[in-house]
């Protein structure tokens, strides 16, 4: 059996932007996306599809996801013999440092500095490997916040792989509530927390909205992290404020830089103020205070 593979050769900035778009475009479990340097001033984006798709079908889906931008790109479609294709897609993913945190795959376990807080996350399992500008932006924001103070009641909303929940739990050795609307992501989040030595601190819960009783039981929260998308962030602003403790902090990401003002307006309308905004690779991370 073979696995479809689509490859694009690009400059670094375009490769990272294209990889970000494709990570968001392909539904959970449908494809594995990686971007990595192949030579000086040349990067590759590789997309590995599931066994039920052909390389041509994967290339077509990629063109649809990229829209007009795909017209100027050289897209190579191929198939590779069945092997550990997820592991192959990880070969080019180097560890990602973000402050005191380093996110890495198991293939780089021996490369993590002893004084870093290592978080081992495999790609293609759920969203959030650290290679996406939004995840790295959140980790940098958390590193700064956790240096300033300790947060006793923490919520990671839309946890995905639980990389952010694990980061807080390991840094503070304290509890974190990690919720997601996707049941598979919740299962993976719990497994990742356990594998990283944070199982005793991270409670992973399947919750489709703030009406779930766990929010009332564990809140109000003095730190809420939400790395999702701009639209849901805007819609959730009133609920986030309602579950935020006085003097609490909110870290928001999953929004592109041109979406900053729309998201900020929604949270300012709830009485929150901007502490800092960070832009990475076309994505923004916002830290707000109650």
């Amino acid at each position: 059996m073979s696995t479809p593979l689509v490859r694009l050769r690009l400059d670094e900035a375009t490769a990272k932007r294209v990889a970000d778009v494709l990570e968001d475009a392909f539904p959970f479990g449908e494809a594995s996306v990686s971007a990595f340097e192949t030579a000086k001033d040349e990067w590759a984006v590789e997309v590995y599809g599931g066994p039920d798709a052909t390389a041509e079908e994967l290339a077509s889906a990629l063109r649809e996801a990229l829209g007009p931008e795909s017209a100027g790109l050289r897209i190579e479609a191929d198939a590779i013999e069945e092997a550990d294709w997820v592991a192959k897609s990880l070969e080019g993913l180097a560890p990602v440092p973000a402050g005191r945190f380093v996110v890495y795959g198991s293939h780089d376990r021996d490369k993590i500095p002893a004084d870093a807080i290592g978080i081992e996350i495999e790609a293609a399992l759920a969203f959030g490997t650290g290679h996406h500008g939004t995840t790295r932006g959140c980790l940098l924001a958390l590193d700064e916040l956790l240096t300033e103070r300790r947060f006793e009641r923490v919520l990671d909303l839309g946890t995905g792989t639980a990389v952010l929940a694990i980061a807080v739990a390991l840094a503070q050795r304290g509890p974190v509530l990690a919720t997601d609307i996707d049941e598979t992501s919740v299962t993976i989040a719990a497994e990742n927390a356990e594998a990283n030595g944070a199982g005793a601190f991270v409670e992973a819960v399947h919750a489709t909205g703030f009406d779930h009783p766990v929010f009332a039981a564990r809140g109000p929260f003095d730190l809420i992290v939400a790395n999702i998308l701009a639209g849901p962030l805007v819609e959730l602003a009133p609920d986030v404020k309602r579950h935020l403790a006085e003097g609490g902090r909110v870290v928001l990401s999953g929004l592109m830089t041109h979406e900053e003002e729309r998201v900020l307006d929604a949270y300012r309308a709830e009485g929150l103020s901007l502490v800092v905004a960070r832009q990475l690779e076309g994505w923004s991370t916002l830290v707000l205070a109650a």
Side-chain angles (χ1 to χ4, degrees):
M1 184 179 295
S2 62
T3 295
L5 164 65
V6 174
R7 181 184 294 109
L8 302 90
R9 301 189 186 279
L10 309 159
D11 62 89
E12 180 179 359
T14 306
K16 289 180 177 179
R17 186 178 69 254
V18 166
D20 284 349
V21 171
L22 294 177
E23 282 185 357
D24 289 338
F26 285 108
F28 172 79
E30 197 171 89
S32 173
V33 181
S34 63
F36 52 92
E37 189 173 19
T38 57
K40 182 175 174 56
D41 299 324
E42 181 179 280
W43 279 57
V45 175
E46 291 187 343
V47 184
Y48 293 79
D52 295 332
T54 66
E56 291 72 22
E57 289 170 340
L58 186 60
S60 177
L62 182 149
R63 290 189 183 94
E64 183 177 349
L66 292 177
E69 185 173 5
S70 68
L73 302 179
R74 180 163 60 96
I75 299 175
E76 305 168 12
D78 198 0
I80 59 173
E81 288 306 307
E82 185 68 16
D84 188 351
W85 62 274
V86 171
K88 185 172 178 62
S89 75
L90 290 173
E91 289 175 357
L93 292 179
V96 177
R100 80 189 89 170
F101 304 112
V102 179
V103 184
Y104 64 95
S106 58
H107 59 294
D108 280 324
R109 193 175 292 157
D110 59 346
K111 300 178 182 177
I112 307 308
D115 59 348
I117 299 178
I119 306 171
E120 185 173 307
I121 302 289
E122 297 297 354
L125 298 179
F127 300 116
T129 65
H131 294 84
H132 195 291
T134 60
T135 307
R136 185 163 176 263
C138 286
L139 287 171
L140 289 168
L142 289 173
D143 182 46
E144 293 171 359
L145 287 171
L146 297 174
T147 301
E148 297 170 1
R149 61 182 273 199
R150 180 180 179 85
F151 296 89
E152 299 296 340
R153 298 180 301 279
V154 182
L155 168 63
D156 179 13
L157 184 68
T159 190
T161 59
V163 61
L164 302 178
I166 293 167
V168 176
L170 293 180
Q172 296 197 140
R173 309 303 295 177
V176 180
L177 174 63
T179 68
D180 205 288
I181 63 173
D182 181 83
E183 289 189 74
T184 304
S185 289
V186 171
T187 300
I188 291 168
E191 292 172 352
N192 283 341
E194 189 67 34
N196 280 277
F201 302 113
V202 175
E203 179 185 0
V205 176
H206 176 231
T208 57
F210 272 101
D211 55 347
H212 192 290
V214 72
F215 295 107
R218 295 285 299 274
F221 303 95
D222 47 6
L223 175 61
I224 297 177
V225 186
N227 181 15
I228 43 181
L229 294 170
L233 286 176
V234 169
E235 294 176 8
L236 288 168
D239 283 326
V240 169
K241 175 58 170 66
R242 186 160 51 90
H243 289 83
L244 185 65
E246 185 65 30
R249 295 292 184 268
V250 178
V251 178
L252 305 177
S253 199
L255 58 143
M256 302 190 78
T257 53
H258 69 269
E259 298 171 314
E260 260 190 31
E261 285 306 314
R262 181 162 69 103
V263 175
L264 274 173
D265 287 346
Y267 285 81
R268 282 171 171 152
E270 299 298 327
L272 276 68
S273 59
L274 179 66
V275 176
V276 65
R278 174 182 280 109
Q279 294 78 35
L280 287 174
E281 300 162 13
W283 298 88
S284 292
T285 300
L286 307 175
V287 179
L288 303 110

